[in-house]
Amino acid sequence: MTRLNDGNALSFDGSGLSIAIVCARFNDHIGKELLAGAYRGLERCQVARDHIDEVWVPGAFEVPLAAATLARSGKYDAVITLGAVIRGETAHFDFVAGECARGIQTAQIDTGVPIMFGVLTVDSNQQALDRSGPGVDNKGDEAAVGAVEMALLVNGINDSVEF
Ligand code: INI
């Protein structure tokens, strides 16, 4: 039996990894805080600043296409997606949040590149603020650490498979 990773690890060495971040501009007062959290998480994981690329898109609905394009480029070990879909009075929330989540999952399955779902889908602005603060429970920070963990896992599996 070979265990390919440590299932209990809480910190990861991301030095040498290249990471892309996609951030939605809609509700960017939240997006900017998630982005700051993502950079803090990547820094703790020792991902070099010059190995991080950042792109912005109009809203969460556009995130999957940008994430898939970045993943398909072959330049990145993982992609982090960030944004905030805040429930309003219309059904628009359900379409935007649902399609964003579905598109991100489809993109990571199709490309084989980990794509982290750091897009908040919440009922209120307060819930979004609560999830984008300065602590390690900031969802951008969590997505960043998850991106490093998944990149190491997927790279490790790919490297261990003999074709
Ligand atoms: N985009 C978001 O990122 N968050 C939202 O809360 C949101 N709402 O509520 O409408 C939102 N809509 C814009 C959408 O993502 C697209 O940019 C737009 O529909 C153009 O395709």
Side-chain angles (χ1 to χ4, degrees), residues 57-103:
V57 295
F61 196 77
E62 286 72 39
V63 164
L65 176 60
T69 306
L70 289 161
R72 221 178 284 119
S73 74
K75 294 182 189 168
Y76 305 103
D77 297 287
V79 179
I80 299 165
T81 66
L82 304 172
V85 193
I86 302 176
R87 189 181 291 278
E89 297 300 313
T90 74
H92 201 59
F93 170 93
D94 298 303
F95 291 113
V96 172
E99 289 304 306
C100 179
R102 188 187 62 83

Side-chain angles (χ1 to χ4, degrees), residues 2 6 12 17 51-53 56 62 77 79 82 85 88 104 108 115 119 138 153 160:
T2 306
D6 174 359
F12 303 94
L17 295 181
H51 285 195
I52 304 170
D53 288 338
W56 287 78
E62 286 72 39
D77 297 287
V79 179
L82 304 172
V85 193
I104 288 169
Q108 71 167 345
I115 303 179
V119 178
N138 175 302
L153 174 64
S160 71

